[in-house]
Structure formats: structure tokens, C-alpha cells
Amino acid sequence: MGIITVCGKRFETYIPSKTIDASIDQLAGRLSQDLRDLSPIFIFLLNGSFMFAADLAARLDFPMQFSFAKLASYSGTSTTEKISELIGITENLEGQHVVIVDDIIETGLTMKYVCDRIKEKKPASIHTCALFFKPEALKADLKIDYWAMELKSDFIVGHGLDYNGFGRNSRDIYRIAD
């Protein structure tokens, strides 16, 4: 197991990139099977989903659109449970099939916030999707439609996820070692 240091905290390898890639392959297969005929718009939530967005988009081979929104809800290693919308959703979503994609769903508060904002735009359907899902941490009344990997409640970095803005650039996932 490799060790990295991010902002003075030690993290150990938790999920190697080969395992993540295989999980994204399986997820893309499910999305392709279910959404192929809907020509959906995927809305990726930044900053965390940027690597997952590229990985997932490269594996989908049906008509779709992409958009991005930027929200924030973290301070250090824990959620503030307060969502700040930094870049909003400006597309006309009325009558469209929408897939909201995030890097990780823990409390579900960010995803619920985005779902509620999108419902106001009268889409034909809303689907939720994440690279990682922590069902034990879920606090929001929210149905999660698609996820690549289910995790325990360890704090993780890598593959787009950060600690104080750092650590996003690793293809592997790391958890706190200390």
C-alpha cells in the first residue's frame, strides 16, 4: 500500500485505479442500457466529478448532452451540510431527461439540493448517479439510481475528490492512514 501526504495528513491506498475503472465500465453499461433511447443531458457537479465525468463520458456511446454546475459543501474532512451554489444550471431542462452526476454521495444533501432545483425546471425525468456512494451516511430523503462503488464512511481523496482542494489528481483512491 502506498502512502501520500495531503495538507499534512497521511493517506493510504484504498482503491486502485484498475478497480475504479472496472466499476465505471459496469456503470456505463447500466446507463447505456437504461438511457440509450432518451438522449439525456448529464449535469456533472464540480469540482469533484471532473475526472469521473471524463471517464464516464468516454464509455457512453449514445446521443447525450453535457453541462456542469459547481457547488460546495465541505470544509476539511467533513461536510458543512450547507450548500453554496457557485455556478448554477442555466440550460432549459423542460421536457428533458436529466442525469445528475457527482463524485460521491454521502449525506445526499448536495444531490437533493440539485434535484430540487432541477425539478423546478420541469424535466421529463431526473436520474441520480455517482462514482461513490456511502449509504450509511445518507441523511436526505433521496433515491440514488446509479453508482459505481459503495463505500464505508472513510474520508477519501483521489480520482477528483480532495482534502482542502488538494489530492484530486491521483487515479487511485486513498483513505486517512492515521
Side-chain angles (χ1 to χ4, degrees), residues 76-126:
T77 61
S78 57
T79 180
T80 64
E81 296 189 8
K82 180 179 184 275
I83 291 98
S84 301
E85 191 169 324
L86 308 173
I87 300 172
I89 300 160
T90 59
E91 287 76 17
N92 177 7
L93 300 177
E94 187 171 347
Q96 294 202 55
H97 299 279
V98 177
V99 183
I100 307 165
V101 183
D102 206 355
D103 53 351
I104 188 166
I105 296 174
E106 293 183 86
T107 64
L109 297 173
T110 299
M111 184 63 76
K112 175 95 170 85
Y113 174 89
V114 175
C115 285
D116 290 346
R117 298 295 78 71
I118 289 176
K119 281 179 191 172
E120 296 169 1
K121 296 177 179 271
K122 299 179 170 84
S125 66
I126 299 173

Side-chain angles (χ1 to χ4, degrees), residues 30-173:
R30 290 192 311 270
L31 288 165
S32 294
Q33 181 178 354
D34 294 352
L35 306 177
R36 174 173 301 285
D37 298 328
L38 300 180
S39 299
I41 180 168
F42 284 75
I43 298 175
F44 293 96
L45 304 182
L46 298 173
N47 284 341
S49 73
F50 79 98
M51 286 180 79
F52 179 41
D55 290 342
L56 183 61
R59 290 167 168 88
L60 300 174
D61 65 348
F62 55 88
M64 70 199 76
Q65 298 176 59
F66 297 105
S67 186
F68 298 88
K70 184 173 182 178
L71 298 109
S73 66
Y74 262 82
S75 177
T77 61
S78 57
T79 180
T80 64
E81 296 189 8
K82 180 179 184 275
I83 291 98
S84 301
E85 191 169 324
L86 308 173
I87 300 172
I89 300 160
T90 59
E91 287 76 17
N92 177 7
L93 300 177
E94 187 171 347
Q96 294 202 55
H97 299 279
V98 177
V99 183
I100 307 165
V101 183
D102 206 355
D103 53 351
I104 188 166
I105 296 174
E106 293 183 86
T107 64
L109 297 173
T110 299
M111 184 63 76
K112 175 95 170 85
Y113 174 89
V114 175
C115 285
D116 290 346
R117 298 295 78 71
I118 289 176
K119 281 179 191 172
E120 296 169 1
K121 296 177 179 271
K122 299 179 170 84
S125 66
I126 299 173
H127 305 272
T128 56
C129 179
L131 176 56
F132 301 109
F133 176 40
K134 295 182 179 181
E136 293 174 5
L138 191 64
K139 292 182 179 180
D141 182 18
L142 181 67
K143 178 180 179 272
I144 310 305
D145 299 305
Y146 302 96
W147 64 89
M149 301 183 78
E150 192 171 298
L151 302 177
K152 299 292 181 197
S153 48
D154 295 313
F155 182 80
I156 57 175
V157 299
H159 210 91
L161 290 92
D162 73 301
Y163 172 56
N164 287 340
F166 292 90
R168 293 185 193 276
N169 57 316
S170 171
R171 299 292 299 166
D172 298 321
I173 290 292

